[in-house]
Amino acid sequence: MLKGKTVVLGVTGSIAAYKIASLASMLKKQGADVEVIMTKNATNFINPITFESLTGNKCLVDTFDRNFQFSVEHVALAKRASVFLIAPASANVIAKVAHGLADDMLTTTFLACQCPKIIAPAMNTRMYTNPILQDNLKICETYGMEVIAPADGYLACGDTGAGKMPEPEELFDYIVKAAAFPKDLAGKKILVTAGATMEAIDPVRYITNHSTGKMGYAVAKAAALRGAEVTLVSAHAEVKPPRFVKLVPVKSAREMFEAVTAAAADQDVIVKAAAVADYRPAEVSDEKVKKKDGDLSIRLERTDDILAWLGVHKRDGQFLCGFSMETQNMLENSRAKLKKKNLDMIVANNLKVEGAGFGTDTNVVTLITGDRETELPKLTKDEVAHRLLDTILEMTGETSPLGMTGKSSPEETGES
Ligand code: CTP
């Protein structure tokens, strides 16, 4: 994801500095060129050699190091940087970068950088809640830097409260958001539905399906990483919701209908990946249904077809994408849904094809539009999500500038 990107990590004097070693390693595994700049104080907490071993690059501390490759190393590095994260960011360094002070390698390089800048404060909670520090963070934000709120928890000094640096996985997600993808969906509002609805029978039991939410979550994540404002209406899912989206949790088809229809008018794109129940129990018992001799029947009634409602109420310029999971006659059935529900695209898959369907990390889909069928090879669900977004951009006349995920040749896609 980060191939060809230069990620600069600024490490300041805080016990959390040791966590940056695993962040550097995660970034390296994603193909990034990782440059670490430490303040002098940071070297009391972790040895620069740790970072040099992990990144393969010299760890920079001293602005006047005579072994530098370039005479003005901080400017050379600033020009190459795709993103600059200061983590852990001490109160002292935050004050400096808020006011443009540049008195060491870290702060001079930071000041010279024009790439996205991220700050992850880490300090004692009394320092963190000090209004001067808070004002400095606000100043950083007004200059366009992103501040990652510290977590609440037990701090190294023995106090408990806000000030704990987020885990490396969270820092990694911020870096990916800043640097991995062009922001070709910036300014777009995208609503995604995902997961399996649950239709109550009684307080103990419900009717549901095998959807794990992976495909819808991948679409929501990809759209957010490409700059869209994403609302994710999610029924039950078995994966962690992606960061950087507005999550609206729902349980039943009725709740999903209400959440989706309330937000629909505002959206530029709606992608309905959720597996919504077509039927629910006509009566829901308030008490647990006790077993009796003999069989039991549950009368089911139809739920609202949310996608059909969206098709009827689609406003000018809005793009509507549905999903279609079939076990037979995939193309005909999906084409019929595309037409009947007034969709712009339907993503069809056959549950019986190896690598497609519920729970897997891959999918094998055909993107069907009014005049085209594009059969994609087996891809990860993340890749499918990007292809789907590429197609939406193409169809709305806003082709992704970098061909995002590597546009497929007609031979590869089986386009017809
Ligand atoms: N869908 C919906 N509301 C429902 C049922 C389905 O919005 N009550 C949406 C799904 O989110 C999906 C699309 O409709 O995007 C297709 O779902 P699918 O179950 O494959 O098709 P159905 O139209 O329900 O038809 P059938 O079950 O007969 O295949």
Side-chain angles (χ1 to χ4, degrees), residues 34-35 76 88 130 172 175 178 181 232 254 303 310 314 325:
V34 184
E35 299 275 1
N130 185 305
F172 176 84
I175 287 171
F181 299 100
L232 172 59
R254 186 69 221 173
T303 58
L310 292 169
K314 185 161 69 169
M325 185 173 262

Side-chain angles (χ1 to χ4, degrees), residues 214-226:
K214 280 185 182 173
M215 191 61 246
Y217 278 30
V219 175
K221 177 176 153 195
L225 292 178
R226 289 168 69 165

Side-chain angles (χ1 to χ4, degrees), residues 272 274 276-278 303-307 322-325 337 341:
K272 281 224 76 251
V276 187
D278 289 325
T303 58
D304 307 290
D305 190 322
I306 308 166
L307 195 53
F323 271 70
S324 167
M325 185 173 262
K337 285 178 200 173
K341 300 193 188 189

